[in-house]
Amino acid sequence: MKQNVIWKTSPNFSTGRGGTAVDRIVIHYIVGNLAACDATFLNPDSQVSAHYGIGEGRIHQYVSVNNTAWHSGNFAFNQRSIGIEHSADPNRAPTTQTLNMSIARCVTLCRQFRLNPLTAIVPHESVVPTACPGTVDWEYIRDRTAVLL
């Protein structure tokens, strides 16, 4: 499935990955919508970013997958992972459309980096103590990605 990815270049990233191979995809929620994600990741003072944000029928890319986004709260983990944010919050799960777009993006990334989705796709809460990804059913994303590969 061809996806139209819209570039919204964030200043918040580190060039390269320090020689570390990508072996994880970290699932996050925005705690808001895609516009909130854009505002945060395009602000140099926020000092945070992710590779992708998905919501409202769109995919925004903020950081090249060849570079390190600042998304997981653990720099070494950031170097080995791709971060995907989802339009959702503690009282609002992502839409089916957002989940399906995320699954398609994960399929593309798993093919590109030769990842096994059953071990590569992880929730943010597995990296650092956080409520993220909250209402995002990361296991559904992981399992559907595996089926589609």
Side-chain angles (χ1 to χ4, degrees):
M1 172 175 158
K2 175 81 170 114
Q3 291 183 304
N4 184 25
V5 177
I6 301 165
W7 269 96
K8 302 272 187 173
T9 305
S10 174
N12 305 321
F13 70 94
S14 298
T15 302
R17 291 187 169 275
T20 304
V22 170
D23 69 356
R24 295 290 186 273
I25 299 170
V26 182
I27 303 298
H28 300 271
Y29 70 170
I30 295 167
V31 187
N33 60 20
L34 197 57
C37 195
D38 290 350
T40 299
F41 292 166
L42 299 179
N43 178 355
D45 294 331
S46 74
Q47 294 291 292
V48 294
S49 62
H51 293 90
Y52 298 98
I54 302 175
E56 294 74 59
R58 296 185 309 278
I59 299 177
H60 290 176
Q61 185 166 0
Y62 305 97
V63 176
S64 165
V65 295
N66 298 315
N67 292 324
T68 303
W70 303 338
H71 64 93
S72 77
N74 177 312
F75 188 72
F77 209 90
N78 288 347
Q79 288 183 303
R80 64 188 280 207
S81 63
I82 293 171
I84 302 177
E85 296 279 350
H86 298 79
S87 177
D89 62 46
N91 300 307
R92 178 181 57 88
T95 65
T96 300
Q97 179 185 38
T98 295
L99 289 174
N100 287 337
M101 292 176 82
S102 180
I103 291 161
R105 177 68 7 198
C106 286
V107 166
T108 298
L109 293 167
C110 285
R111 286 181 179 148
Q112 180 178 351
F113 292 99
R114 298 184 178 170
L115 303 177
N116 175 351
L118 297 178
T119 56
I121 298 173
V122 299
H124 186 192
E125 66 191 4
S126 73
V127 181
V128 296
T130 178
C132 182
T135 55
V136 178
D137 189 346
W138 72 271
E139 291 165 317
Y140 176 76
I141 294 169
R142 177 198 65 196
D143 295 346
R144 288 296 302 150
T145 299
V147 167
L148 295 172
L149 275 179

